Amino acid sequence: DIQMTQSPSSLSASVGDRVTITCRASQTVTNFLNWYQQKPGTAPRLLIYGALNLQSGVPSRFSGSGSGTDFTLTIVSLQPEDFATYFCQQSYSIPFTFGPGTKVDGK
Amino acid sequence: QVQLQESGPGLVKPSETLSLTCSVSGGSIGGSTSTYYWNWIRQPPGMGLEWIAYVYSTASTNYNPSLESRVSISKDPSKNQFSLRLRSVNAADTAIYYCARSRASDRGSFEIWGRGTVVTVSS
């Protein structure tokens, strides 16, 4: 199985901050890397697919980059509704695997 | 738009079989014009996400090797539903179970999710 790691595991930020979350795969996933947002009590929501493609309806303040084994999710100006947990996930090979998550909360 | 809704028993006894159903509305689950994968994913309390299985529009399937010996997935186009069966459950199977749709262009990118159904394994 491909192991996914994320850093940091949690971070505290303020509205308007630029937030960066990194994800690393234990082997190459080319560009088959997705990012999800999850708020308490709700299902995950797809934000970014194919490492850098914004899912329909997702605000443009979210962006993704990277390829191979190292990836980044950036929120350019954090909004109140962005406090949540973020997961990366590889869709390169079965079994599809998720990172452990990064919790973004307020300072 | 397409919506997914999980249904299940809520509580299952150890060693029994868990059966879950995902009802799809706003779109067809089967047929030659449907090019989607239909997935089950779970999340134990306070923990991360685990992909379980998918069934394609053609009814081909694929499973997480860690669960493959106990799980089966199927679809019923006549009801526009797909289902999961997990045999010999134990406490480690306690989780929120989600159904989700992914595209043929990226079978592992889960673009639409149901709200999830809570399953507790306990005697």
Side-chain angles (χ1 to χ4, degrees):
Chain A
D1 298 6
I2 297 176
Q3 307 303 316
M4 308 299 295
T5 57
Q6 290 181 233
S7 62
S9 58
S10 65
L11 66 90
S12 295
S14 300
V15 172
D17 283 354
R18 180 185 183 94
V19 170
T20 299
I21 299 169
T22 63
C23 175
R24 175 164 288 177
S26 60
Q27 62 191 77
T28 184
V29 297
T30 64
N31 66 334
F32 285 90
L33 191 285
N34 311 298
W35 290 96
Y36 300 84
Q37 176 195 66
Q38 187 177 33
K39 298 179 181 179
T42 69
R45 171 196 182 196
L46 179 65
L47 299 176
I48 303 286
Y49 64 94
L52 51 78
N53 300 294
L54 200 65
Q55 174 69 355
S56 175
V58 175
S60 59
R61 62 181 179 273
F62 291 92
S63 66
S65 63
S67 65
T69 60
D70 294 302
F71 302 87
T72 300
L73 174 70
T74 300
I75 310 171
V76 292
S77 178
L78 194 70
Q79 297 301 299
E81 60 268 30
D82 300 337
F83 293 109
T85 299
Y86 294 85
F87 296 94
C88 63
Q89 175 244 337
Q90 64 83 17
S91 53
Y92 180 73
S93 69
I94 285 172
F96 307 129
T97 48
F98 292 82
T102 295
K103 185 175 182 179
V104 177
D105 60 20
K107 276 185 180 174
Chain B
Q1 73 275 20
V2 175
Q3 293 185 315
L4 283 66
Q5 177 67 59
E6 305 88 348
S7 58
L11 180 65
V12 187
K13 290 182 169 55
S15 80
E16 292 189 343
T17 296
L18 168 66
S19 294
L20 298 171
T21 297
C22 183
S23 300
V24 180
S25 59
S28 175
I29 192 174
S32 60
T33 58
S34 177
T35 54
Y36 298 105
Y37 291 82
W38 306 94
N39 299 265
W40 286 98
I41 297 155
R42 70 180 182 179
Q43 186 172 35
M47 296 180 64
L49 296 150
E50 180 180 35
W51 173 78
I52 301 170
Y54 70 59
V55 57
Y56 187 45
S57 301
T58 59
S60 66
T61 59
N62 218 319
Y63 298 98
N64 191 321
S66 69
L67 295 166
E68 188 167 14
S69 64
R70 298 194 290 133
V71 71
S72 61
I73 189 172
S74 62
K75 68 184 182 76
D76 186 343
S78 67
K79 296 181 180 178
N80 223 34
Q81 295 175 337
F82 63 104
S83 299
L84 183 77
R85 286 172 56 86
L86 181 62
R87 297 176 291 276
S88 302
V89 300
N90 56 65
D93 296 313
T94 293
I96 301 171
Y97 285 74
Y98 297 100
C99 57
R101 189 186 86 171
S102 51
R103 291 172 291 214
S105 58
D106 184 353
R107 58 185 178 163
S109 176
F110 309 116
E111 57 175 1
I112 302 175
W113 294 65
R115 293 185 175 183
T117 187
V118 176
V119 174
T120 302
V121 179
S122 175
S123 55

